[in-house]
Amino acid sequence: MIRRRATTKLAHGQRMWPLLLTLLTMVLVPTVCVLWFMGQAIRNERLAIREKLSDVYRQQLEKVPSLLNDHLAILAQKLDQAVEDSSPAQCFAKTVKAGICDSVLIFDPSGKLAYPVTSGLKSMEDTHFSPDWPIAERAEFLELDFEKAAYLYEQIATTSADPASAVRALQAQARCLVKTNAIEEALHILTKTLTENEYRQVRDQLGRSICADGMLRALEILRETGSADCQDVQRTLYEITSNYEDFLLPSRQRVFLMQRLMAVSSGELSFPTFQAETLAATFADTFAGDLAIAVFQPEPTPTSKQPVTQNQSTAKLRRTHLPGILSLPSANSKAVALFRQETVTNLAKPLVKQQFSSGDVLVELVPPSEILMLDSPLLTIQAGKSLPGWQLALHLEGNNPLANAADQRISYYLWMGITVVIIIAALSLLVTRMVTRQMKLTRLKNDLIATVSHELKTPLASMRALVETLLEGRCRNEQQQTEYLELVARENLRLSRLIDNFLTFSRMERNKRTFDLVNVRPADVARSAVDSVRERFESAGCAFEVEIADDLPVIVGDQDALVTVLLNLLDNACKYSEDDKHIRLRVFANGRDVSFEVSDRGIGMPRRVVRRIFDRFYQADRKLSRKAGGCGLGLSITRFLVDVHGGRIEVASRPDEGSTFTVVFPAVGSNH
């Protein structure tokens, strides 16, 4: 029997899997489809909004390249005008200070670099030295007689008709005076004599200004001695270094003097042309070849092999041999403006503000080397003919009405999708519960059919065997015949109880059981139940105690139904008491309630069984149930009848110690 029942459960589980898998598929497929459609709707909405925004901003952005072209053309015109109106040095300073470009190269009509210059107006290569010059050098470097050398250099400077020779003699005299600690005399020569007009523009062999070198040497001497005149000399040297009008300095010397002055002043002094001088000098020094040809030769275009004229090429920013540096040749080929890449990117900012007054967008000018690193701009276009290869990239920033509308619509799609998924999940859960319940009912019906068949078959088989024995006359005497008839009667009674339980369960399921509710005496109910089981309990060797209290209050109910309640409890107590059958029935008043208590000393029940004993067809121990008889309906019917009468049933049980069932009904006139 156990093996067959396990096989039945396995088959039932095997039948459930396809159904559960089908239900799961019915849930997952619509859910996945809804999520996919929702994702596509959100994606399409974003693309549509992106296209609308692109159309809105494209017309404004397309005006920026022409503005850039015009702006660069204006810069080129300013550069041409500066070259025409001033000297190369003045043009350099004016252009840089006006912010036209980062630096500039100025060329003369012959194509030679006019500024930054590498030599002065006159160098010492053309100087005619006095015959006494070797004698003075011997006294200084060989004899180490610095006083004598200083005197000889002074005589040479006084008698020399060549300013260059006199300046070099004065420079040497000051050098020797410093070595003899004649600091005041040396400073006078360096700061006063060398700055006179006749010596001011004299250069050394490398074209450097001796006057400026003398002032720098005087500054160093004053700093070493801590003299108060240091600030005056520093100020004078600053004026010389910053003078682009009548004091021409080679670019390298000017940059060196600027560096020294900024260093000794600890950052207090600054030169607006320092970065420009450095950039121009670096550009000229690092180029190998004809600089004029390099900066004015037009670049070949990748789409055409036709030569480009100079006039066409001058309006374009061009790459140079220095990384990150671009050049803009002037139309008259007399100057070349140099721009750092970050300066070019800043050119578009004021022009963008003219087209985009709100702060909702950011437009940046992107060089060719950084185009691949752009972070998903809304819109990109070419920056124009003046900036070949550059692009204008537009990014959205801040609050945008169209973007907000898109977010609202996307939120709507999202909530709709979530709602649909929740509805699908809820319906699926409902269907699953209904199917599970139906399957459970089907299983209960199958169990009921099997149980009814078995329970009816057993007493019928016993009765048939006894009747056949009686009919065949195989009884030895009348006593045995009487015993057989009593057995037939008991089996008939058992069969009647089973049928009554099944009929009660059927009416209970169909909710068609009617009850005749009248005032009932609890003692009468108890006595009717006792009379029905007393003979059976006594024949089974059961110790049966009955305690009925006096003056019990009246209760309302159907007496037959109440008797059925007690009979079911007494039958269970007898069936599950095994050999030591000791059953007690107590009826007593508990306040305004009447309690019927049935207790036994049977096998008892653990707590997990107590929670389920009122379920239909539940049997804690099927083997014992088969032996004692029953189909698991008695307690479920009992609870149904108690609930109908407005009562309650309580259970107290421990394994191997017995069980106590207490049924409580409200008395007539109570407030329950």
Side-chain angles (χ1 to χ4, degrees):
M1 179 67 68
I2 296 176
R3 184 177 302 171
R4 182 172 63 252
R5 192 170 284 275
T7 304
T8 302
K9 288 184 178 180
L10 181 61
H12 177 71
Q14 289 176 347
R15 290 194 299 270
M16 285 185 63
W17 272 111
L19 180 60
L20 293 177
L21 184 60
T22 302
L23 289 174
L24 183 62
T25 304
M26 292 172 62
V27 174
L28 290 180
V29 171
T31 302
V32 171
C33 291
V34 168
L35 293 177
W36 183 83
F37 281 115
M38 184 176 64
Q40 291 297 313
I42 292 175
R43 178 176 176 274
N44 293 336
E45 188 66 26
R46 291 188 184 278
L47 290 176
I49 294 298
R50 189 179 183 89
E51 289 297 324
K52 291 180 181 178
L53 289 174
S54 298
D55 294 339
V56 169
Y57 291 120
R58 185 181 296 276
Q59 295 180 356
Q60 294 175 277
L61 189 61
E62 287 178 346
K63 298 178 181 178
V64 177
S66 61
L67 295 176
L68 280 172
N69 294 339
D70 296 341
H71 182 69
L72 290 175
I74 293 173
L75 292 181
Q77 292 176 3
K78 290 181 179 180
L79 185 59
D80 291 339
Q81 185 177 359
V83 173
E84 296 292 341
D85 295 344
S86 56
S87 65
Q90 292 175 335
C91 176
F92 180 89
K94 185 188 302 183
T95 303
V96 173
K97 292 179 181 179
I100 296 176
C101 55
D102 291 318
S103 186
V104 64
L105 303 175
I106 311 298
F107 294 87
D108 60 19
S110 64
K112 291 184 61 177
L113 185 63
Y115 198 90
V117 294
T118 57
S119 62
L121 298 178
K122 182 179 180 182
S123 67
M124 287 191 177
E125 295 176 356
D126 302 325
T127 302
H128 300 283
F129 293 102
S130 171
D132 295 332
W133 191 269
I135 300 174
E137 286 185 337
R138 186 182 303 110
E140 180 183 4
F141 297 110
L142 296 179
E143 299 173 3
L144 302 180
D145 188 350
F146 300 116
E147 292 182 1
K148 178 182 177 181
Y151 174 76
L152 292 174
Y153 285 133
E154 182 182 4
Q155 293 300 317
I156 294 173
T158 303
T159 59
S160 177
D162 185 5
S165 177
V167 167
R168 184 171 182 186
L170 290 172
Q171 188 181 30
Q173 180 188 359
R175 184 173 63 243
C176 293
L177 289 174
V178 171
K179 294 177 181 178
T180 60
N181 291 326
I183 302 300
E184 294 295 333
E185 296 180 22
L187 290 175
H188 184 272
I189 293 173
L190 294 174
T191 60
K192 302 296 183 182
T193 307
L194 293 180
T195 59
E196 295 176 359
N197 290 334
E198 58 179 317
Y199 303 130
R200 190 178 180 90
Q201 298 296 342
V202 179
R203 303 295 187 268
D204 61 9
Q205 295 93 331
L206 299 177
R208 297 175 300 188
S209 171
I210 295 178
C211 173
D213 282 346
M215 293 295 294
L216 179 61
R217 178 57 181 156
L219 179 61
E220 293 173 349
I221 294 172
L222 291 173
R223 285 178 55 81
E224 292 174 1
T225 59
S227 173
D229 297 332
C230 179
Q231 293 295 328
D232 295 336
V233 175
Q234 180 175 294
R235 189 180 306 110
T236 303
L237 186 57
Y238 177 79
E239 293 173 356
I240 292 175
T241 307
S242 303
N243 190 345
Y244 283 86
E245 296 181 3
D246 57 358
F247 198 88
L248 186 60
L249 287 175
S251 178
R252 297 185 186 89
Q253 185 182 19
R254 195 185 296 272
V255 171
F256 175 75
L257 292 175
M258 289 178 177
Q259 291 173 337
R260 291 296 301 158
L261 285 173
M262 289 189 294
V264 299
S265 65
S266 301
E268 295 181 2
L269 297 179
S270 62
F271 296 90
T273 59
F274 174 71
Q275 297 294 337
E277 289 277 5
T278 304
L279 176 58
T282 304
F283 186 88
D285 290 342
T286 56
F287 186 81
D290 193 329
L291 185 59
I293 295 177
V295 296
F296 292 116
Q297 182 67 31
E299 292 181 329
T301 58
T303 57
S304 175
K305 296 183 179 180
Q306 297 296 328
V308 181
T309 63
Q310 183 174 340
N311 291 334
Q312 291 174 325
S313 64
T314 52
K316 293 183 181 179
L317 279 174
R318 302 169 56 188
R319 296 187 299 272
T320 66
H321 61 282
L322 289 181
I325 303 299
L326 296 97
S327 64
L328 178 66
S330 64
N332 57 14
S333 300
K334 290 184 178 181
V336 175
L338 300 179
F339 296 89
R340 291 184 176 87
Q341 187 167 283
E342 55 269 21
T343 303
V344 178
T345 57
N346 292 330
L347 287 177
K349 292 182 179 179
L351 305 178
V352 169
K353 290 183 179 180
Q354 299 178 16
Q355 298 298 321
F356 303 92
S357 57
S358 64
D360 297 336
V361 296
L362 170 66
V363 179
E364 57 179 338
L365 186 60
V366 185
S369 59
E370 299 180 7
I371 291 176
L372 296 178
M373 295 184 288
L374 283 176
D375 186 16
S376 301
L378 175 66
L379 184 62
T380 59
I381 63 172
Q382 295 297 322
K385 296 180 179 179
S386 296
L387 293 164
W390 289 63
Q391 290 189 0
L392 287 167
L394 185 144
H395 302 268
L396 290 179
E397 285 190 343
N399 295 324
N400 189 284
L402 293 178
N404 293 336
D407 291 339
Q408 293 178 0
R409 188 177 291 271
I410 289 171
S411 299
Y412 172 76
Y413 290 153
L414 186 62
W415 282 112
M416 284 294 295
I418 293 174
T419 303
V420 172
V421 170
I422 292 175
I423 293 174
I424 292 175
L427 292 177
S428 302
L429 181 62
L430 180 62
V431 170
T432 302
R433 292 188 62 180
M434 293 177 62
V435 171
T436 304
R437 182 179 179 183
Q438 189 63 35
M439 294 180 67
K440 184 177 180 180
L441 290 176
T442 302
R443 185 167 63 251
L444 289 177
K445 290 179 181 179
N446 293 335
D447 291 342
L448 175 62
I449 293 173
T451 302
V452 169
S453 300
H454 177 77
E455 295 299 331
L456 293 179
K457 181 179 179 181
T458 301
L460 287 175
S462 299
M463 292 171 62
R464 185 178 61 186
L466 292 172
V467 170
E468 288 178 355
T469 301
L470 291 173
L471 291 175
E472 293 175 358
R474 288 183 293 176
C475 296
R476 293 188 297 272
N477 49 44
E478 292 183 1
Q479 182 179 358
Q480 187 177 16
Q481 184 177 359
T482 303
E483 292 177 355
Y484 281 3
L485 290 174
E486 291 177 351
L487 289 175
V488 171
R490 283 199 297 272
E491 291 297 329
N492 185 33
L493 180 61
R494 176 183 175 187
L495 183 61
S496 298
R497 287 201 307 273
L498 287 174
I499 293 174
D500 288 340
N501 282 338
F502 292 145
L503 292 176
T504 302
F505 173 74
S506 177
R507 296 190 191 100
M508 183 177 65
E509 284 293 304
R510 291 179 294 163
N511 199 21
K512 291 185 177 181
R513 176 67 185 266
T514 58
F515 299 95
D516 186 13
L517 300 179
V518 296
N519 291 338
V520 177
R521 297 180 181 276
D524 294 342
V525 175
R527 292 190 185 97
S528 296
V530 169
D531 293 341
S532 298
V533 299
R534 184 182 297 278
E535 182 179 357
R536 180 157 48 93
F537 281 9
E538 290 177 354
S539 63
C542 174
F544 186 34
E545 299 179 8
V546 179
E547 297 180 9
I548 302 175
D550 297 332
D551 300 328
L552 293 173
V554 178
I555 60 177
V556 176
D558 186 308
Q559 183 166 342
D560 292 338
L562 296 177
V563 171
T564 301
V565 170
L566 291 182
L567 287 176
N568 286 338
L569 295 178
L570 292 171
D571 284 341
N572 274 357
C574 182
K575 286 191 295 184
Y576 295 104
S577 292
E578 294 186 337
D579 297 334
D580 184 15
K581 298 182 181 298
H582 188 281
I583 301 173
R584 185 176 65 174
L585 171 62
R586 292 179 61 225
V587 184
F588 57 94
N590 184 10
R592 298 293 297 171
D593 297 332
V594 176
S595 299
F596 296 84
E597 182 182 274
V598 178
S599 59
D600 62 69
R601 298 177 182 175
I603 60 176
M605 296 174 290
R607 185 176 300 177
R608 62 178 180 83
V609 174
V610 171
R611 289 195 295 264
R612 298 191 58 190
I613 56 175
F614 295 106
D615 294 345
R616 299 165 186 174
F617 302 107
Y618 177 75
Q619 295 175 334
D621 190 339
R622 291 182 179 272
K623 183 178 179 181
L624 183 61
S625 298
R626 294 298 182 189
K627 179 180 178 181
C631 57
L633 287 176
L635 289 179
S636 63
I637 294 173
T638 299
R639 184 167 189 172
F640 169 74
L641 295 176
V642 171
D643 291 340
V644 168
H645 287 78
R648 67 180 187 275
I649 185 169
E650 300 172 353
V651 183
S653 180
R654 288 186 178 181
D656 301 325
E657 294 184 9
S659 304
T660 300
F661 288 81
T662 304
V663 180
V664 182
F665 295 105
V668 174
S670 66
N671 295 326
H672 288 265

